[in-house]
Amino acid sequence: MTNDTPDWIRLHKALTIEAEHGFTDLIGKQYRFSEFLSLTFGKFPTALPSIERRCWQELAVKFANYPNLGLEDRQHLVAEARRYLYQLQKEQGEQCGLGVSPSGATAVEQGSKGAEEQRRSYLSKIQPNSKSPIVAEVSRRLAPKIDQKLSDLPEIGIRKADKLAVLRLYTVRDLLFYYPRDHIDYARQVNIRELQAGETVTTVATVKRCNCFTSPKNKKLSILELILKDNTGQIKVSRFWAGTRFTSRAWQESLKRRYPVGSIVAACGLVKGSKYGLTLDNPELEVLANPGDTIESLTIGRVVPIYALTEGVMASMVRQAVIAALPAATHLKDPLPNGLRQKYGLMELKDAIANIHFPDDSATLQVARRRLVFDEFFYLQLGLLQRQQQARAIQTSAILAPKGQLIEKFYKLLPFQLTGAQQRVLNDILNDLQKSVPMNRLVQGDVGSGKTVVAVIAILAAIQSGYQAALMAPTEVLAEQHYRKLVSWFNLLHLPVELLTGSTKTAKRREIHSQLETGELPLLVGTHALIQDTVNFQQLGLVVIDEQHRFGVKQRALLQQKGEQPHVLTMTATPIPRTLALTIHGDMNVSQIDELPPGRQKIQTTLLTGQQRTHAYDLIRREIAQGRQVYVVLPLVEESEKLDLRSAVEEHQKLQESIFPDFQVGLLHGRMSSADKDEAITKFRDNQTQILVSTTVVEVGVDVPNATVMLIENAERFGLSQLHQLRGRVGRGAAQSYCLLMSSSRSPDAQQRLKVLEQSQDGFFISEMDMRFRGPGEVLGTRQSGVPDFTLASLVEDEEVLLLARQAAEKVIEIDATLERWYLMKEELKYRYERLMGGAILT
């Protein structure tokens, strides 16, 4: 370049390449980008007027400091230089003999783009009418390969790739499928007068005043204040920079020069109130040459993707990396056949990937999200149904007789008739047991609906057919409850039954092991102790698992491996919403006992505050005076310094000594020894203690029909499903029962949740509401339950898409369960099981 005529082409090209490579201060053959620009602007053309020479030299100083700038400031500086060169070139164009195109490119540049326009531009192909500068930016790039390492992409490089690896992003595919966790819609452009608090918007206005200064309250904080004005009004906006390097007057003056009075600025952010009226909260800003100019920012004026980040990985870095990877989506082959996509109204995969990251508007985002949510559900259901199909192909299970003397005798022992729902579910089970295909059935039933009786009949079907059965429960309390009930029935049938838990004595344990191996013991009840290596059945035909979601997948599988493809019956008193049942039990048959035995009264449920505690105590005294008993449940065993909650130990002492000294108050919690637990439960069952203070250990397994009051302290600390379970400990007899939810929380959300329990006795409705409030993992109470971690899909919001995905998966399996005719679908299923589910969801 001479001192008379600037080399416009080299300058434009340098700025363009730097932008395309993510503002990384690229190293050229001789200089770094910043060095080249600093040297170039350091020698101003003699033909320039003096006022332009000053601006020219200021750019030289700014680019000398370019290596010290953050990504956002580098973007601003490059954009500023490009706009300045365009305006200057426009003014000098005729003298220099260089025509300038409307886009700001020289005639030489226009010609050099011919080859690039022949490239297969992904986004320009799928969004031909899009005016998005992101589309234009991506469309200029050669598409990387799907499996290409991120470090190989020039826009990312080794240093950035190492940081992205912390997010487990290693390849281009990883980036494409790294969906945003949320989006902020800045696409709506409004006038200042139309701003409303709580909205996210973009506004374009003129700078009326600009000031940059150090905060008087914090000497390490710089503040930029702009007064922006359009023809409808004006607002004051502020941006903040923390750090001593931003407090120098030179830096602050350079920032002020970026937003001169009279310049056009696009600003986006969350509208919020301030003492000066409405403002934009720490907005993104971009200077425009003209009011109608295209906004180049990755955030301003568009729907902005919000990614999950970690320390050292900035949002701008992930967005720039995604833009670098997006052209590779052209290589994605859609595993879903065109006919299936059309039937369910699904966007093509490559379009959905582009629009989940950088959609033109919210409507397009929703269409893209729907497709990707469908995929998450579809491959899950496909895997579950394929597994179910494979299980049905196994023909080695025992065929158990649905009729026989044992079952007939048991029917005669029962002092009641089975309800219609119990009989319907029992028929489902007995039909399964007559097949050589292993049964895999889940029985759902509310507390007190009679699931155990149904399970006992299934167990008797196995025993009278010459096989053994096992019943596994998650806690010793529940296992002992089942054991006691079974002993009372099995003694009358002259059948032995034993209990095996962690507390079983060594001699008794050896005796049980021996009787199992010889076949003398037809039924064993227990906890996790059943899956120990030393437990061996002679011929296990049926496995019954109670509250099965409390066991891990491997634990359930270990018990099944104790026999030769035994039938499996699982039970739960925690009603599971339909979407959740489809997700974690999609390979099982599900039956519901949706009818309570006759004579059961609704439990009167009341929400009380701390000030109403005397009402609760009065009710307790009245009930005990009539010979009834009471539960008092607390969330903690001992007082916590961090949580201001009533502890079970302290509450027990207080109730016994101060509140109810005339009654016997017992204590039960999980830290007690098995012997102490047994003693506490036995005393309560025998009415030796009238009040039992307990933690949630009584949630399942304690059955005392004489108990009529359940007082739950700090009820807001429990989930609705758990509260419903606790409530089910009363109302098991003929007397009117009461559940008192004690809560001092003033949170509207907590009050709204607890009122659901106050107004409904329907366990399935309560579980649906619980899932809406807390999410599926919390409803089941354990991450062992196998709920997959969906990236986009929500079991609460996307039920309609889940049902469609299930329907589509059923149709595919019906046509070809092996998926041989859909090779891409088969490969995608394998990939997703390895990455998303890992087989852990399979029951």
Side-chain angles (χ1 to χ4, degrees), residues 36 83 109 127-128 136 152 154 190 197 218 254 321 353 383 426 457 466 517 561 629 682 705 720 842:
F36 171 70
R83 282 193 297 272
E109 284 181 280
Q127 294 175 309
D152 293 340
V190 301
N218 184 350
S254 71
I353 291 294
L426 181 60
I457 296 173
E517 291 178 2
Q561 290 166 14
Q629 290 166 274
T682 301
L720 291 183
L842 302 178

Side-chain angles (χ1 to χ4, degrees), residues 724-742:
H724 181 62
Q725 289 286 304
L726 290 169
R727 177 170 61 180
R729 294 302 100 202
V730 296
R732 305 178 80 84
Q736 175 64 57
S737 294
Y738 306 88
C739 178
L740 308 177
L741 306 174
M742 192 69 68

Side-chain angles (χ1 to χ4, degrees), residues 711-755:
L711 171 61
I712 304 173
E713 297 281 359
N714 302 108
E716 74 280 357
R717 302 288 299 179
F718 300 90
L720 291 183
S721 293
Q722 192 173 28
L723 288 172
H724 181 62
Q725 289 286 304
L726 290 169
R727 177 170 61 180
R729 294 302 100 202
V730 296
R732 305 178 80 84
Q736 175 64 57
S737 294
Y738 306 88
C739 178
L740 308 177
L741 306 174
M742 192 69 68
S743 173
S744 298
S745 173
R746 296 182 179 180
S747 163
D749 288 344
Q751 293 292 313
Q752 185 182 6
R753 282 198 315 113
L754 295 177
K755 283 188 180 297

Side-chain angles (χ1 to χ4, degrees), residues 604-620:
Q604 186 175 316
T605 306
T606 309
L607 177 58
L608 300 174
T609 63
Q611 290 76 24
Q612 297 171 302
R613 185 173 297 278
T614 54
H615 300 316
Y617 291 162
D618 289 343
L619 174 63
I620 289 173

Side-chain angles (χ1 to χ4, degrees), residues 257-272:
R257 287 194 296 271
R258 187 182 299 173
Y259 306 103
V261 173
S263 61
I264 307 298
V265 170
C268 74
L270 174 67
V271 183
K272 62 184 296 186

